[in-house]
Amino acid sequence: SLRPCSTGVAQAGINKPVIDRIIRVDHAGEYGANRIYAGQMAVLGRSAVGPVIQQMWNQEKDHLKKFNELMVAYRVRPTVLLPFWNVAGFVLGAGSALLGKKGAMACTVAVEESISDHYNSQIRTLIEEDPEKYKELLQIIKQFRDDEREHHDIGLEHDAEGAPAYSVLKTVIQIGCKAAIFLSERI
């Protein structure tokens, strides 16, 4: 039977564990991204790159708003790790920004590449499940993936690869992203 939620999303026949996991981790990721950009803005907000960071942050705010709505619509609980991601995201953003514009952009490239890859994996999962049934969610995730790719490219355009120890920094951040994804999907 159809059970519409407060936003009118029909939930008949959905794979609830898969959808819960996707929405929970994406909400956590967008929350973390917001905190990263908040940290970057705290350090570089008044610099020449501030407006670029603000533009990307504004898109992340829209992403988080949408996942907040989806959490209510699909009755998904958030990860219990949000308080940790609150602090960790801000520290990562501010810490990378303390390396200067290139450090902040290296962080952006690393995070956005990880998230884009993660979104691609979710898109494959939903298509394998039933592309018609999950059409709306697929459209949202595809759009957000494209926004994350754009942020990745902006980071490269703003000299991310010139950051001190770029390869090491990128690798460490991406390992952290993979761990955050793994944990946020599950708890």
Side-chain angles (χ1 to χ4, degrees), residues 137-177:
L137 189 55
L138 276 164
Q139 288 174 335
I140 292 165
I141 293 173
K142 285 177 182 177
Q143 177 60 54
F144 291 179
R145 180 222 32 218
D146 293 348
D147 292 345
E148 309 306 358
R149 283 183 177 165
E150 180 185 347
H151 299 169
H152 170 272
D153 294 346
I154 289 169
L156 290 175
E157 291 166 10
H158 285 85
D159 304 320
E161 294 168 311
Y166 172 75
S167 294
V168 173
L169 183 62
K170 182 179 176 191
T171 299
V172 168
I173 292 170
Q174 289 185 326
I175 289 169
C177 287

Side-chain angles (χ1 to χ4, degrees), residues 38-153:
Q40 289 181 350
M41 285 299 289
V43 175
L44 296 173
R46 294 181 184 210
S47 72
V49 77
V52 173
I53 295 169
Q54 185 66 56
Q55 175 195 2
M56 292 186 290
W57 189 15
N58 288 343
Q59 281 185 309
E60 299 296 351
K61 288 176 184 179
D62 290 340
H63 295 180
L64 180 58
K65 180 180 180 214
K66 185 55 158 179
F67 276 108
N68 281 330
E69 292 168 3
L70 290 172
M71 289 187 75
V72 171
Y74 285 93
R75 297 181 177 144
V76 177
R77 69 160 178 80
T79 177
V80 299
L81 297 171
L82 281 183
F84 180 75
W85 301 147
N86 178 30
V87 174
F90 189 88
V91 168
L92 177 58
S96 65
L98 287 170
L99 297 173
K101 175 187 97 164
K102 293 175 184 177
M105 292 298 145
C107 175
T108 296
V109 167
V111 170
E112 302 296 20
E113 185 176 294
S114 294
I115 301 309
S116 176
D117 290 347
H118 177 68
Y119 277 153
N120 280 334
S121 175
Q122 290 181 336
I123 290 165
R124 284 189 295 276
T125 297
L126 291 173
I127 288 172
E128 288 170 10
E129 284 282 327
D130 185 340
E132 195 55 41
K133 188 183 296 180
Y134 301 111
K135 185 177 180 179
E136 178 188 359
L137 189 55
L138 276 164
Q139 288 174 335
I140 292 165
I141 293 173
K142 285 177 182 177
Q143 177 60 54
F144 291 179
R145 180 222 32 218
D146 293 348
D147 292 345
E148 309 306 358
R149 283 183 177 165
E150 180 185 347
H151 299 169
H152 170 272
D153 294 346

